[in-house]
Amino acid sequence: MMKLAIAVPCYNEQEVLDETNNRLTQLIDRLLDQGKVNPDSRIYYIDDGSTDRTWDIIENLSKHQPSVTGIKLSRNVGHQHALLAGLLTAEGDAIVSIDADLQDDVSVIEQMVDDFNLRKVQIVYGVRKQRNSDSFFKRTTADLFYKVLRLMGGEIIQHHADFRLMGRPAIEGLREFNEVNLFLRGIIPLLGFKSSIVYYDRTARFAGTSKYPFKKMLALALNGITSFSVVPLRMITALGFVVFLLSAVMGIWVLTNALLTDAMVPGWASTILPIYFLGGIQVLCIGVLGEYIGKIYKETKQRPRYFIEKTTD
């Protein structure tokens, strides 16, 4: 029987953590009764520098339940790095990653385990059937993000976040990726192992507030696009060429009118508007270049992505 590990990144999740643990514990007990996992299966809670009672709750759960392990990071490093810490630290033949907010359907993990055991699948993606629980704005921006990333050559699973099962070979493959600018949704498909998809309905948070406001969502989307595609840089080249052609055509038109007609009327618009236009294009291009240079700067320093302060084992 397989040894299952469930990695749960946590940041200020004191309101929901007890219920999350109840549901995950019940799931493991059910899988044990069915003979699908072995008794050494565990739940790993990764505290990402929480400022509330999250770590105290994790320690208490670990004291009373041998199947629970707590991992405390030295500071808040962000969801992606906290999740990576759990994936690379947890022990098991397969590791399921799931957020603590209970929006993902815990019962679907059983189907993931079946795919791993019976179909010998190394990566099982949890994919939302629909996004009715999201606001219109969030649905629209999410769809736009997936379309833009695929258009730019990124490999990503539509409506998949970080709810997935990964076998040990896939985890060891992930260990070889050393980049600091993490976007796991884009990295995992690059591993190339046999994969499958399970669909589920996503619900509202059981308790607490979202840890991914619009600002963080926008930063994650920008990181995903610039970490997996050089298309924005090529778009700058194409844009420069188009502006050059337009400028050349405008120059020919102005010269022709000046030499052959008396229709040219001196004015500020013909001078100011091109300056503002070209200036805006230049600032935009510099911004895109700066984003890539910033990523190069972070990668070349090769700083550690996280530090584990302590564990409950």
Side-chain angles (χ1 to χ4, degrees):
M1 288 185 293
M2 67 175 289
K3 180 179 179 181
L4 177 67
I6 302 178
V8 187
C10 305
Y11 178 68
N12 292 345
E13 298 289 1
Q14 64 179 14
E15 295 95 340
V16 73
L17 204 50
D18 284 328
E19 179 63 23
T20 300
N21 187 69
N22 288 337
R23 296 192 190 183
L24 291 177
T25 301
Q26 290 171 9
L27 169 75
I28 289 183
D29 290 342
R30 187 163 63 250
L31 293 174
L32 282 170
D33 292 339
Q34 296 171 0
K36 295 181 178 181
V37 300
N38 72 32
D40 293 329
S41 299
R42 302 182 68 82
I43 305 169
Y44 292 81
Y45 294 106
I46 307 96
D47 180 24
D48 185 22
S50 298
T51 57
D52 62 1
R53 295 183 54 255
T54 294
W55 178 248
D56 294 335
I57 296 173
I58 292 173
E59 281 190 312
N60 185 61
L61 292 172
S62 180
K63 287 178 182 177
H64 294 90
Q65 295 181 234
S67 62
V68 172
T69 295
I71 301 172
K72 182 175 175 59
L73 303 184
S74 61
R75 59 180 292 270
N76 177 250
V77 295
H79 177 271
Q80 296 290 280
H81 287 88
L83 177 55
L84 183 71
L87 293 174
L88 299 186
T89 303
E91 299 178 356
D93 300 311
I95 303 175
V96 171
S97 59
I98 186 171
D99 289 341
D101 55 19
L102 294 178
Q103 289 188 272
D104 299 321
D105 187 357
V106 172
S107 64
V108 172
I109 295 176
E110 185 173 344
Q111 187 177 342
M112 293 180 174
V113 170
D114 288 340
D115 278 9
F116 178 82
N117 284 332
L118 303 178
R119 299 176 58 190
K120 307 304 178 185
V121 172
Q122 286 299 314
I123 303 174
V124 185
Y125 298 101
V127 176
R128 300 172 62 168
K129 292 179 181 178
Q130 39 75 28
R131 304 187 69 100
N132 292 339
S133 61
D134 291 341
S135 65
F136 173 79
F137 176 76
K138 190 171 183 178
R139 289 198 305 270
T140 303
T141 53
D143 289 339
L144 179 62
F145 164 69
Y146 286 116
K147 290 177 181 178
V148 169
L149 190 56
R150 284 200 300 270
L151 184 64
M152 293 189 174
E155 296 184 38
I156 193 168
I157 306 298
Q158 181 86 1
H159 300 316
H160 166 69
D162 288 298
F163 182 31
R164 67 179 75 87
L165 177 146
M166 299 180 66
R168 179 52 55 182
I171 294 294
E172 295 307 313
L174 177 63
R175 199 183 297 274
E176 299 298 317
F177 286 77
N178 296 316
E179 57 241 56
V180 174
N181 300 286
L182 272 182
F183 185 65
L184 292 174
R185 302 177 202 182
I187 292 177
I188 304 303
L190 297 179
L191 296 174
F193 292 96
K194 183 180 180 181
S195 64
S196 66
I197 292 175
V198 297
Y199 294 94
Y200 68 98
D201 291 314
R202 188 173 170 91
T203 59
R205 285 182 61 93
F206 178 81
T209 58
S210 173
K211 306 308 183 296
Y212 256 94
F214 176 72
K215 183 179 179 181
K216 285 191 176 181
M217 289 175 56
L218 184 61
L220 181 66
L222 182 61
N223 186 46
I225 292 172
T226 54
S227 293
F228 288 90
S229 177
V230 296
V231 171
L233 295 175
R234 293 172 180 166
M235 288 174 64
I236 289 178
T237 302
L239 183 61
F241 182 69
V242 169
V243 171
F244 167 75
L245 287 180
L246 291 176
S247 300
V249 170
M250 182 178 291
I252 293 172
W253 177 78
V254 170
L255 182 62
T256 302
N257 277 273
L259 294 176
L260 302 180
T261 72
D262 296 326
M264 296 299 295
V265 178
W268 62 271
S270 60
T271 302
I272 297 299
L273 291 180
I275 291 176
Y276 275 102
F277 175 72
L278 294 176
I281 293 296
Q282 289 174 338
V283 171
L284 174 64
C285 294
I286 291 172
V288 174
L289 290 172
E291 180 68 24
Y292 279 92
I293 292 172
K295 288 187 178 298
I296 295 171
Y297 173 66
K298 289 181 179 180
E299 296 293 345
T300 54
K301 287 189 293 185
Q302 296 185 338
R303 290 179 177 175
R305 293 174 290 194
Y306 57 84
F307 288 106
I308 296 176
E309 181 178 326
K310 58 182 176 180
T311 66
T312 56
D313 282 349

